[in-house]
Amino acid sequence: MNYNHQEKELFYPDGKIMYSGGVKKNDFGHDIYDGKGTIFDQEGEVLFEGEFVNHMKQGNGIMYLKGQIIYQGEFIQNKKQGTGILYKDGKVYYEGHFRNDLMDGYGILYYEEDVIAPFKDLREQYPHLNRPQFEGDFVHGMKKGKGIQYYPSGFLQYEGDFMWNHMQGAGKLYYVPEAPTEVELQSGVTALHFEGYFFEDMKHGKGKVFSRQGVLEAEGHFKEDVMTGKGTLYYSNGQASYNGDLVNGLKHGRGDYYNEEGKIIYSGEFINGERLRITPEIEREIAKLQAQLDGLVGLPNAKKELHNLINFIKIQSLRVDHGLTSFPITYHLVFSGNPGTGKTTVARIIGQIYKHLGVLSSGHFVETDRAGLVAGYVGQTALKVQEVVKKATGGVLFIDEAYSLINDKQDAFGKEAIDSLLKAMEDLRDDLVIIVAGYTELMEEFLQTNPGFKSRFNHFVQFDNFSTDELYEIFAMLCKNNDYRYGDAFAQHMKSQLNQIPVETIPNFSNGRYIRNVFEKLVTIQSNRLIQQQNITRSELMEFAEADIVQAISEDLFDSTF
């Protein structure tokens, strides 16, 4: 570097030396630093020695504070820029690249003496442990980019991505060196603890956790240093012990539990680390739902099938308690029969029973049909199905008149809906139950059109037409639930009329809907009669009179509501 200057000394007003070195005149005739020189404070201590250009530090130089060196390296326009060494308390704190006065680029950061003091003997005994705090990339004075970080003892702590001084991004974290083995002492590296993603120094995102012995213990999603989300836990022999949902490191939600031989012994709900068990409280809830089902009129096939499923699930739970494999089955169902036979009511009860037995996570009920699944344009149907399935996940998706999904072999929209449902049944087989329902003959034809769809249904429930006696029971129940009553004469007329209905031969008989229609019409007839009276008592409001049913018969009510 060439300088156009003269050597000169400049002084403070009190006569003490301020600068010694190269000086030149600026355009105003003032002396400015240019060339090699030294700046002193008013106590005579050196502040800086090095190169100047046009009164600014430029080139190599050394900065001091109260007699101690604080920086040695390159400057550009008064700022630390280029390679240099930063000191703290006279010890090297950082060496590497600088930009605009800040650590920027590749560099090495060292621990302060008091931090590594407890490990002084260890570092002296094993000189290769005399490692810095960090070596890697810096931006704006902070760790950012690739880097390697060490524990104060000198053992490797972390290698990977950094963001604003934090471990952030992909990286590997090693165990704290407590009671390190001789092999670890010689290598300066403990066992790998975690490999995956970090956010602000915490495990966050996908990752794997290993034991001190190097065995994979868990892998999956992490949040704020603990497993939260989908994950897999492992036995020490490498076999998966659990695969499913976790919250704060505990099994919580849907999951599969395996024995050490790899056999699945439970699939279902977990709560706070424990699988859902049929406790006395849950048993009482199931009993209430069973009583609700048994309290329905008729439906012998549905009641038998559901009792069979409940017994099966309970026994499988006991098998798991004894470390035995539970036999997985498909819980999807086909309900076939005429309208009004209680299919929807039973489906709702099943959802709640499945919830308490751990088959489903919520047991809620979503009802749909072709209109709710099939769109008017190719490609939109799949999206529509996905939306409905998302709403039903965790519960029961009830598809009424399911046969209408396929109108004929050329029905591309219906085929797209079926294909989308098949995918959902596979992807969500552990937390979605689909019940398809419709007329018996049409449902048989429907399942034959798609073998893949049929193979996923193992349970078929036939809902037979209600007998005339059962229709009368339903009518009596409607009256009781709605605060109506009637006398013997009314009852005789009702039974006589119902016994004349050929329920077994009427095509598509509406069953429960039929008797509900009869009930609603009788309520209307009673209302028309009572409104003619001046005064109406509470008893009269509750009473069906014989005249009401005689009027209904005269209006052919029992013939017109099939």
Side-chain angles (χ1 to χ4, degrees):
M1 186 177 290
N2 296 319
Y3 301 99
N4 180 20
H5 61 260
Q6 59 180 323
E7 296 295 317
K8 193 173 181 179
E9 291 184 339
L10 302 176
F11 299 89
Y12 287 106
D14 62 1
K16 291 182 179 178
I17 188 167
M18 178 176 67
Y19 173 81
S20 175
V23 173
K24 74 175 183 179
K25 299 289 185 181
N26 64 12
D27 293 341
F28 301 99
H30 300 138
D31 289 327
I32 59 173
Y33 313 149
D34 196 79
K36 290 185 178 180
T38 304
I39 297 176
F40 301 86
D41 65 17
Q42 288 184 304
E43 281 72 43
E45 298 279 1
V46 175
L47 286 175
F48 175 82
E49 55 184 350
E51 297 175 308
F52 292 86
V53 173
N54 292 328
H55 211 66
M56 290 185 289
K57 306 178 190 80
Q58 184 130 336
N60 288 308
I62 303 173
M63 292 180 67
Y64 299 87
L65 182 65
K66 295 181 180 180
Q68 273 197 339
I69 185 171
I70 59 172
Y71 174 77
Q72 179 180 7
E74 296 177 300
F75 291 83
I76 293 179
Q77 294 184 346
N78 267 346
K79 295 180 179 179
K80 297 185 279 288
Q81 188 141 323
T83 58
I85 301 173
L86 198 63
Y87 296 84
K88 245 185 193 183
D89 298 326
K91 303 289 184 180
V92 175
Y93 177 67
Y94 170 84
E95 56 182 331
H97 285 84
F98 289 81
R99 183 179 180 184
N100 292 329
D101 261 348
L102 297 171
M103 302 177 292
D104 201 300
Y106 182 82
I108 300 174
L109 187 68
Y110 295 87
Y111 281 110
E112 295 181 49
E113 285 294 308
D114 61 335
V115 176
I116 61 173
F119 308 98
K120 183 178 180 181
D121 293 342
L122 182 67
R123 283 174 173 257
E124 287 179 356
Q125 185 179 355
Y126 298 93
H128 60 278
L129 294 179
N130 283 316
R131 289 164 161 172
Q133 176 192 358
F134 172 84
E135 51 185 322
D137 296 326
F138 289 80
V139 175
H140 300 317
M142 291 180 282
K143 304 168 200 162
K144 185 181 179 185
K146 296 290 182 184
I148 301 174
Q149 188 160 283
Y150 300 91
Y151 289 107
S153 58
F155 281 87
L156 178 63
Q157 179 187 14
Y158 172 84
E159 53 186 341
D161 295 327
F162 285 80
M163 176 76 76
W164 309 132
N165 271 344
H166 294 289
M167 298 181 293
Q168 190 153 313
K172 296 179 180 180
L173 180 67
Y174 295 83
Y175 274 99
V176 177
E178 296 174 347
T181 65
E182 187 60 35
V183 172
E184 291 174 338
L185 285 166
Q186 294 298 332
S187 65
V189 181
T190 56
L192 177 65
H193 171 54
F194 176 80
E195 180 177 8
Y197 288 88
F198 293 80
F199 180 77
E200 294 187 352
D201 295 331
M202 294 183 288
K203 306 175 196 77
H204 197 97
K206 287 186 177 180
K208 298 179 180 180
V209 170
F210 300 85
S211 70
R212 287 298 297 258
Q213 291 71 41
V215 176
L216 179 63
E217 289 185 329
E219 62 180 326
H221 286 269
F222 288 75
K223 183 178 180 181
E224 296 181 355
D225 244 9
V226 292
M227 289 194 76
T228 296
K230 297 290 183 183
T232 304
L233 306 179
Y234 294 89
Y235 290 109
S236 58
N237 66 359
Q239 170 60 46
S241 65
Y242 173 80
N243 183 39
D245 297 326
L246 296 112
V247 175
N248 294 328
L250 297 175
K251 299 184 282 285
H252 193 91
R254 305 294 296 175
D256 297 326
Y257 177 57
Y258 304 82
N259 64 18
E260 293 191 56
E261 286 72 49
K263 289 183 178 180
I264 185 168
I265 60 174
Y266 175 75
S267 180
E269 281 291 301
F270 287 78
I271 299 175
N272 295 326
E274 297 291 333
R275 69 175 181 84
L276 183 65
R277 285 180 165 79
I278 302 176
T279 63
E281 292 78 14
I282 290 177
E283 189 71 70
R284 284 194 289 272
E285 292 300 319
I286 294 173
K288 288 179 187 176
L289 291 164
Q290 283 184 297
Q292 186 179 338
L293 177 68
D294 292 339
L296 298 175
V297 175
L299 312 178
N301 297 326
K303 292 172 182 176
K304 179 182 177 182
E305 181 66 29
L306 193 52
H307 281 294
N308 289 344
L309 282 170
I310 291 170
N311 293 338
F312 173 86
I313 295 167
K314 286 181 178 179
I315 291 299
Q316 296 308 304
S317 180
L318 287 174
R319 286 176 60 85
V320 175
D321 288 339
H322 290 279
L324 300 172
T325 303
S326 66
F327 180 71
I329 64 169
T330 299
Y331 294 100
H332 307 300
L333 298 119
V334 177
F335 286 180
S336 55
N338 283 335
T341 46
K343 297 186 289 293
T344 304
T345 301
V346 172
R348 289 181 186 275
I349 296 173
I350 283 177
Q352 290 303 302
I353 289 177
Y354 277 176
K355 171 192 173 183
H356 291 298
L357 290 171
V359 174
L360 294 172
S361 57
S362 67
H364 67 284
F365 181 84
V366 174
E367 183 174 3
T368 190
D369 54 15
R370 178 183 172 93
L373 296 171
V374 177
Y377 300 94
V378 174
Q380 290 184 337
T381 291
L383 296 175
K384 204 169 183 180
V385 171
Q386 289 170 18
E387 185 178 337
V388 173
V389 165
K390 183 179 179 181
K391 189 185 300 182
T393 299
V396 169
L397 176 58
F398 183 78
I399 305 175
D400 198 14
E401 298 181 350
Y403 49 80
S404 64
L405 287 175
I406 298 290
N407 288 327
D408 53 55
K409 292 182 179 180
Q410 283 71 46
D411 187 356
F413 300 122
K415 184 179 183 302
E416 185 181 357
I418 294 293
D419 291 342
S420 299
L421 285 170
L422 284 170
K423 185 176 186 306
M425 293 171 80
E426 181 62 30
D427 295 344
L428 301 166
R429 60 184 179 273
D430 293 331
D431 203 17
L432 176 68
V433 167
I434 293 180
I435 300 176
V436 291
Y439 294 113
T440 302
E441 297 80 7
L442 294 175
M443 287 302 295
E444 289 176 357
E445 293 176 13
F446 164 67
L447 292 172
Q448 292 298 331
T449 61
N450 193 308
F453 206 46
K454 182 180 180 180
S455 67
R456 284 167 171 79
F457 291 92
N458 291 346
H459 304 282
F460 298 81
V461 183
Q462 176 64 37
F463 285 73
D464 295 326
N465 283 345
F466 290 116
S467 68
T468 53
D469 287 343
E470 289 169 341
L471 290 175
Y472 179 80
E473 284 185 53
I474 295 172
F475 178 80
M477 188 177 296
L478 285 169
C479 290
K480 180 180 178 182
N481 292 342
N482 291 280
D483 294 327
Y484 283 91
R485 63 194 181 196
Y486 49 84
D488 292 340
F490 182 99
Q492 290 302 319
H493 283 295
M494 175 62 71
K495 291 177 181 179
S496 174
Q497 291 298 311
L498 292 177
N499 285 332
Q500 295 176 38
I501 301 172
V503 293
E504 297 300 329
T505 59
I506 298 175
N508 305 330
F509 180 56
S510 60
N511 289 281
R513 297 177 193 174
Y514 165 81
I515 203 65
R516 177 172 283 278
N517 285 341
V518 168
F519 173 76
E520 290 176 357
K521 292 293 184 182
L522 283 166
V523 168
T524 301
I525 290 171
Q526 185 230 38
S527 300
N528 291 336
R529 174 175 57 79
L530 291 177
I531 203 68
Q532 307 299 321
Q533 298 179 197
Q534 188 68 29
N535 297 305
I536 306 172
T537 66
R538 183 178 187 274
S539 178
E540 288 173 326
L541 288 170
M542 298 173 63
E543 190 81 25
F544 279 132
E546 182 181 7
D548 296 327
I549 198 166
V550 169
Q551 178 67 29
I553 294 170
S554 69
E555 294 179 5
D556 297 326
L557 172 62
F558 291 89
D559 297 326
S560 60
T561 56
F562 292 155

